Amino acid sequence: MSYLQPCFGYLKNALARGLYARENAIKRRAVRAMSTFYSQKPVPQLDHISSNHQEMYQLSIKDPDFFWGQLGASRLKWISNFHTVRNSDLRAGKHEWFIGGQINVSENCLDRHVAKDPNRIALIWEKDEPGKTVHVSYRELMDDTSRIANALKRQGVKKGDRVCIYMPVSPIGVASMLACARIGAVHSVVFAGFSADALASRIQDAGAKVLLTADAGIRGGKRIPLKKTVDEALRQCPEVRTVFVAQRTGANIPMHPDRDIYLDRAMESESSHCEPEPMDSEDTLFILYTSGSTGQPKGVMHSQAGYILYASLTQQLCFNYKPGDIYACVADIGWITGHSYVVYGPLVNGATTVLFESTPTYPDPGRYWEMIERLQVNQFYGAPTSIRMLLRFGDEYVKKYNRSSLKVLGTVGEPINEEAWHWYKDVVGEGRCPVVDSWWQTETGGAMIVPYPGPENQVWKPSCPLRPFFGVDPVILDEKGNEMHGDNVSGLLCLRSSTPGMSRGVYGNFERHLDTYYRPYPGYYFTGDGARRDIDGHYHITGRVDDVMNIKGVRLGTAEVEDIMDNHHNVAETAVVGYPHEIKGEGVYAYVILKDGVTVNEEVLKEELRKMVKKAIGSHAVPEMIQISPGLPKTRSGKIMRRILRSIAANRFDKLGDVSTLAEPTVVNGLILEHEKLLEAMEKKG
């Protein structure tokens, strides 16, 4: 039986009856009829991927209204049915889905599962303390969500208000996200490793007046003073009037009497019932800040219905999730992977999802594999950075634990190299678990190019996400914007289709949304990544082609780091690029030009610059390599030729290309000389 047959049975019957005629008016009536039909039916469970995949993929491309319309109607619980499936225009950067419908995301994640099986486990909190877990049922999660929602309402938070969440990976963090969704507030989760300055900038951009945090976080056995960071950030944000503080450690922390409220105490006095707010399909569910090629992070906005439909469908099909499985995505809730594949996707599907608070090496490099044995994890979704790091410790830490429960392994955040892919598949997965190497972005909301598990689709290639998901129509363009047809071609990866989970814009700056993604190549979504389509038609991601680095799976704009370092009183100019890093995949390499006449101790200066970056952005952005340089390779118009800097940082002097267009071609030799001196000095240090 086809894996989509439960969902497409009605669809096929409708086709046979001619219900979906091509005339738009008839089609709109059909969508309304289908939506009404499915609103009266139980949500179907999709089966695994079958050999019918290609047939369904072609349907999703040729008739997206037909394909997504029935899925939206059948998989989601609607307050009011939608009347139009989509209204999209890539030239205008517009994606609108399930127009006219009203929905509540929290209700889809909680209420309908509580009504069927309230004691089903929703969350397994793998605390930082080894071997300590907390199980949270759907009923308990809904009660906590409602209490937090009522506490927010008591503080005046209403539909459309922005609420900032700066919390560790925890059930209370998830409940805080769902509480915002329940009352129609827009949440902005900030990774609880960002500095006070980075937190402040995101609070200010979103215009948040309420913040939820914890007294502290615990990660790798170390206490992280979250409330202290919040207090420092809020010196720059006087508009924040309320701070809810959850107690993770019980640490003695200062509380501002007119602003700070212990969340636990506030919840105790609130009702466990909160009526879900009806939200239009296209209302904003959340803002998530991501780096771009300019210095200012951009707040990517995601909608209600389209986003959760796409997240839930990809979570189920890409990982072959079945009811009763234990699913573990070890991402932080502060990133899009945590939003889509720790929280929203699994919970819409009624899954049991693991919240991993710790690090892969605490208390030793066997932490992941011990957890898999103890919790009987079936699907495991991690980052190539962690896999490469654990590979260095050998096979011993893996093989000492029973991993027979594993069915699917996944990777996310950056391309995985072949050595790590083979180790992951052959050692961790014992050669029997498919590796789902997924490519997607904060802006896409969910996996876009990805292999599929299932016995009928055993095509697996190292470091290759293979093929597009349903509704995704990728193209490869040359630099002039011409489509490169056929196989065995390389170029710019773009999309020419609209999918329900796509970002709806950059908060407060739609022009930036257009300039970044839609104006570079009109009619396409520009991903900023390069790709190669091989002789079999499968896609390989070759990395970023713009001024954005991918550090440990986190996008970081070069301008963000440059802006901070340029503030040093001895620095005239900096240029930052990514370079190949054995563990992280890509590291931060900074070229620093001093002001005229300045004489400094280079090691002291480098340490000062690293501290500035850590304070302003976070430890993940700190440059590993800082080269004091005599100049930068610039064209006569003043543009920095970053390809030359990237080639030098990667020791690829044969890839410098044409330097004749530089204003001062001789500067390249000086950069190479300083680079070699830097490597020699680092080698002596060991």
Side-chain angles (χ1 to χ4, degrees):
M1 184 174 72
S2 168
Y3 77 104
L4 282 178
Q5 207 162 4
C7 276
F8 279 90
Y10 178 72
L11 180 151
K12 290 179 179 178
N13 291 336
L15 276 175
R17 296 195 306 268
L19 179 62
Y20 263 78
R22 290 293 167 182
E23 290 80 0
N24 288 335
I26 298 177
K27 181 174 283 191
R28 283 196 295 271
R29 289 197 297 273
V31 170
R32 285 197 293 272
M34 183 176 62
S35 181
T36 301
F37 175 86
Y38 274 112
S39 68
Q40 300 166 355
K41 299 291 182 180
V43 176
Q45 293 289 343
L46 298 187
D47 206 346
H48 62 77
I49 297 297
S50 77
S51 56
N52 213 18
H53 163 266
Q54 189 59 26
E55 175 188 336
M56 292 302 163
Y57 174 74
Q58 289 300 325
L59 177 63
S60 74
I61 296 299
K62 293 178 180 178
D63 201 340
D65 286 16
F66 195 7
F67 182 88
W68 292 109
Q70 67 81 34
L71 286 174
S74 65
R75 290 180 65 91
L76 303 179
K77 185 179 188 304
W78 294 90
I79 297 170
S80 299
N81 297 324
F82 56 89
H83 57 70
T84 303
V85 175
R86 68 179 177 123
N87 178 21
S88 59
D89 181 357
L90 265 64
R91 287 185 176 272
K94 181 168 70 174
H95 305 268
E96 295 178 349
W97 286 84
F98 310 116
I99 301 161
Q102 286 192 316
I103 197 169
N104 185 275
V105 168
S106 171
E107 183 179 30
N108 274 267
C109 289
L110 300 173
D111 301 52
R112 60 180 179 165
H113 306 311
V114 170
K116 294 178 182 178
D117 186 3
N119 296 321
R120 185 192 311 170
I121 299 302
L123 308 175
I124 301 178
W125 184 22
E126 176 73 5
K127 301 178 74 171
D128 187 69
E129 298 88 339
K132 290 192 177 182
T133 58
V134 175
H135 290 66
V136 180
S137 70
Y138 272 89
R139 163 61 72 186
E140 291 169 328
L141 182 57
M142 189 167 86
D143 286 352
D144 285 347
T145 294
S146 296
R147 293 182 191 277
I148 296 173
N150 287 328
L152 290 170
K153 289 169 70 174
R154 189 174 297 277
Q155 293 301 313
V157 179
K158 59 187 184 300
K159 180 177 178 178
D161 288 348
R162 279 79 59 211
V163 174
C164 182
I165 299 174
Y166 186 71
M167 280 187 167
V169 178
S170 58
I172 205 71
V174 173
S176 297
M177 296 168 69
L178 293 170
C180 292
R182 197 164 191 86
I183 65 175
V186 178
H187 66 66
S188 171
V189 182
V190 178
F191 171 57
F194 272 123
S195 68
D197 288 346
L199 173 60
S201 69
R202 287 155 174 78
I203 293 171
Q204 292 166 345
D205 189 79
K209 294 180 173 59
V210 174
L211 182 144
L212 296 103
T213 188
D215 53 4
I218 305 178
R219 189 166 172 82
K222 298 177 181 178
R223 185 169 293 187
I224 303 166
L226 299 183
K227 179 57 164 57
K228 179 182 178 182
T229 302
V230 166
D231 289 342
E232 184 179 343
L234 295 191
R235 295 192 189 106
Q236 306 174 48
C237 307
E239 66 278 6
V240 174
R241 61 174 186 263
T242 304
V243 176
F244 286 104
V245 184
Q247 297 185 72
R248 170 63 179 93
T249 67
N252 185 17
I253 56 173
M255 296 286 285
H256 192 293
D258 300 323
R259 185 194 68 193
D260 300 345
I261 302 170
Y262 277 115
L263 181 58
D264 317 66
R265 297 175 189 172
M267 292 171 64
E268 288 174 1
S269 61
E270 298 293 349
S271 169
S272 61
H273 175 77
C274 178
E275 197 66 25
E277 180 76 22
M279 303 296 292
D280 289 342
S281 298
E282 283 298 310
D283 283 341
T284 301
L285 173 62
F286 65 83
I287 302 169
L288 190 59
Y289 284 87
T290 183
S291 292
S293 56
T294 66
Q296 180 66 32
K298 52 185 183 289
V300 173
M301 300 189 299
H302 278 287
S303 69
Q304 307 270 333
Y307 168 77
I308 64 166
L309 174 65
Y310 196 82
S312 68
L313 188 68
T314 49
Q315 188 270 334
Q316 185 170 1
L317 296 186
C318 294
F319 299 98
N320 202 19
Y321 176 82
K322 303 288 183 61
D325 285 349
I326 305 298
Y327 168 83
C329 173
V330 291
D332 194 283
I333 60 172
W335 307 121
I336 188 61
T337 306
H339 281 54
S340 298
Y341 296 122
V342 176
V343 181
Y344 288 115
L347 293 181
V348 171
N349 289 334
T352 296
T353 178
V354 174
L355 304 176
F356 185 77
E357 183 184 35
S358 191
T359 70
T361 56
Y362 180 74
D364 60 47
R367 180 62 185 268
Y368 281 163
W369 326 126
E370 186 276 334
M371 179 188 74
I372 287 170
E373 177 185 85
R374 176 165 39 84
L375 300 182
Q376 291 294 286
V377 170
N378 303 116
Q379 293 91 5
F380 180 84
Y381 197 23
T385 298
S386 297
I387 297 165
R388 282 190 293 266
M389 177 174 59
L390 295 173
L391 184 158
R392 298 179 68 189
F393 292 99
D395 300 351
E396 175 189 353
Y397 285 103
V398 182
K399 292 183 175 180
K400 68 187 292 186
Y401 298 108
N402 186 331
R403 303 169 317 286
S404 60
S405 63
L406 283 174
K407 296 191 287 188
V408 175
L409 298 170
T411 72
V412 61
E414 57 186 298
I416 184 171
N417 58 302
E418 287 201 26
E419 180 189 12
W421 188 93
H422 282 292
W423 183 81
Y424 197 32
K425 183 176 187 295
D426 297 335
V427 177
V428 177
E430 302 173 313
R432 57 181 178 78
C433 296
V435 175
V436 177
D437 178 8
S438 58
W439 174 86
W440 56 294
Q441 301 174 321
T442 301
E443 295 84 350
T444 69
M448 302 295 273
I449 303 179
V450 60
Y452 300 92
E456 300 87 353
N457 290 276
Q458 291 297 332
V459 177
W460 306 100
K461 293 181 181 180
S463 311
C464 178
L466 286 175
R467 55 191 172 190
F469 190 72
F470 296 118
V472 178
D473 191 7
V475 295
I476 294 180
L477 306 182
D478 62 22
E479 291 187 355
K480 294 182 179 179
N482 300 311
E483 285 192 26
M484 304 180 73
H485 300 286
D487 299 327
N488 204 22
V489 295
S490 298
L492 306 171
L493 179 62
C494 294
L495 306 176
R496 61 181 167 197
S497 57
S498 174
T499 51
M502 289 294 291
S503 164
R504 301 312 198 244
V506 173
Y507 182 72
N509 194 343
F510 195 75
E511 286 298 308
R512 186 178 182 189
H513 171 73
L514 295 175
D515 288 342
T516 303
Y517 306 111
Y518 297 98
R519 284 177 177 154
Y521 300 98
Y524 303 94
Y525 167 82
F526 174 50
T527 69
D529 280 333
R532 175 172 63 88
R533 190 167 53 233
D534 67 23
I535 196 168
D536 299 315
H538 295 143
Y539 289 85
H540 304 250
I541 307 302
T542 57
R544 300 295 298 179
V545 297
D546 54 14
D547 293 335
V548 177
M549 301 170 289
N550 195 323
I551 311 299
K552 298 173 68 174
V554 179
R555 286 199 343 211
L556 178 67
T558 58
E560 277 188 85
V561 183
E562 291 167 356
D563 287 350
I564 302 304
M565 299 176 74
D566 286 345
N567 287 330
H568 194 285
H569 60 277
N570 286 327
V571 172
E573 187 178 16
T574 59
V576 170
V577 298
Y579 76 101
H581 192 284
E582 182 180 359
I583 302 300
K584 297 180 180 180
E586 193 169 18
V588 182
Y589 195 115
Y591 297 84
V592 176
I593 314 302
L594 300 180
K595 292 179 179 178
D596 288 343
V598 168
T599 302
V600 296
N601 181 310
E602 290 192 3
E603 293 307 312
V604 171
L605 173 63
K606 291 177 182 180
E607 185 60 26
E608 290 173 350
L609 292 171
R610 290 189 173 103
K611 287 180 178 178
M612 290 174 66
V613 174
K614 183 176 182 180
K615 180 180 184 298
I617 304 175
S619 57
H620 65 284
V622 173
E624 289 90 352
M625 304 283 280
I626 299 180
Q627 176 178 327
I628 309 300
S629 304
L632 294 173
K634 295 183 179 181
T635 64
R636 291 175 179 84
S637 63
K639 180 182 178 182
I640 298 173
M641 297 290 282
R642 291 180 184 272
R643 62 171 174 78
I644 294 176
L645 296 179
R646 283 192 285 263
S647 296
I648 293 173
N651 296 314
R652 296 301 306 270
F653 307 138
D654 58 327
K655 297 290 185 180
L656 294 175
D658 183 16
V659 299
S660 63
T661 59
L662 296 178
E664 297 181 47
T666 57
V667 77
V668 175
N669 292 331
L671 288 168
I672 293 174
L673 180 62
E674 293 298 329
H675 172 74
E676 291 175 336
K677 287 181 181 178
L678 179 60
L679 294 182
E680 184 179 346
M682 293 184 67
E683 187 175 342
K684 287 181 180 179
K685 286 184 178 180

